[in-house]
């Protein structure tokens, strides 16, 4: 990746980290009642008909991770980061999604996400269910973190914010 470019093709330094999020297969479908993100079109309002159509196209049940599976995913993310020499700031695997904050200079965030998903899938298949094909939804969220304050906020959200959200509402 080297130097990144903004929309105006101005050279910028690499971000200091990435905040990656992706959901498990079938747990946040197009049309979802909470709203949803359409690839390359952004946030969309709920659409019950679209949600039913998406559910009908599913080839496996929705994936909800057990505590043991979540721990295995977090351990694999950590191991993959060590192997790739990426700096893992925070990881939090929930029953239906995963958050990772990672620094990997000169590596495109889509490669980071693809590698982490692939190795987590391999671990889950080997340890829990070799027959399941779809553990994760396609793509996910990538946030580029440029400032130390943004990195600190992302780490705090991943390590503390998930529990607050769960216990406070």
């Amino acid at each position: 990746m080297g130097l990144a470019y903004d929309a105006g093709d101005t050279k910028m330094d690499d971000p200091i980290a990435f905040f990656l999020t992706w959901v498990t297969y079938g747990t946040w479908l197009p049309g979802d009642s909470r709203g949803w993100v359409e690839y390359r079109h952004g946030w969309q309002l709920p659409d019950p008909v679209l949600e039913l159509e998406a559910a009908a196209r599913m080839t496996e049940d929705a994936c909800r991770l057990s505590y043991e599976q979540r721990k295995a995913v977090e351990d694999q993310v950590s191991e993959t980061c060590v192997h790739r020499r990426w700096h893992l700031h925070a990881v939090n695997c929930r029953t239906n999604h995963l958050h990772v904050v990672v620094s990997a200079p000169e590596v495109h965030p889509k490669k980071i996400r693809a590698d982490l998903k692939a190795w987590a899938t391999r671990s889950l298949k080997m340890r829990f269910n070799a027959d399941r094909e779809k553990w994760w939804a396609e793509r996910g969220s990538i946030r580029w973190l440029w400032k130390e304050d943004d990195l600190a906020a992302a780490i705090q959200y991943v390590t503390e914010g998930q529990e607050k959200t769960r216990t406070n509402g």
Side-chain angles (χ1 to χ4, degrees), residues 113-127:
R113 184 181 64 202
D115 284 3
L116 295 177
K117 281 175 133 178
W119 282 99
T121 298
R122 182 176 184 265
S123 177
L124 289 166
K125 287 176 75 79
M126 284 178 50
R127 293 183 59 190

Side-chain angles (χ1 to χ4, degrees), residues 2 12 14 33 39 46 60 80 85 91 93 96 102 115-116 118 132 139 142 146 149 152 159:
M12 301 179 295
D14 282 328
S33 62
Y39 182 58
E60 293 184 78
T80 302
R85 296 187 176 141
V91 59
C93 187
N96 67 345
V102 61
D115 284 3
L116 295 177
R132 183 172 191 91
R139 293 180 287 277
I142 299 172
W146 298 98
D149 288 350
T159 59

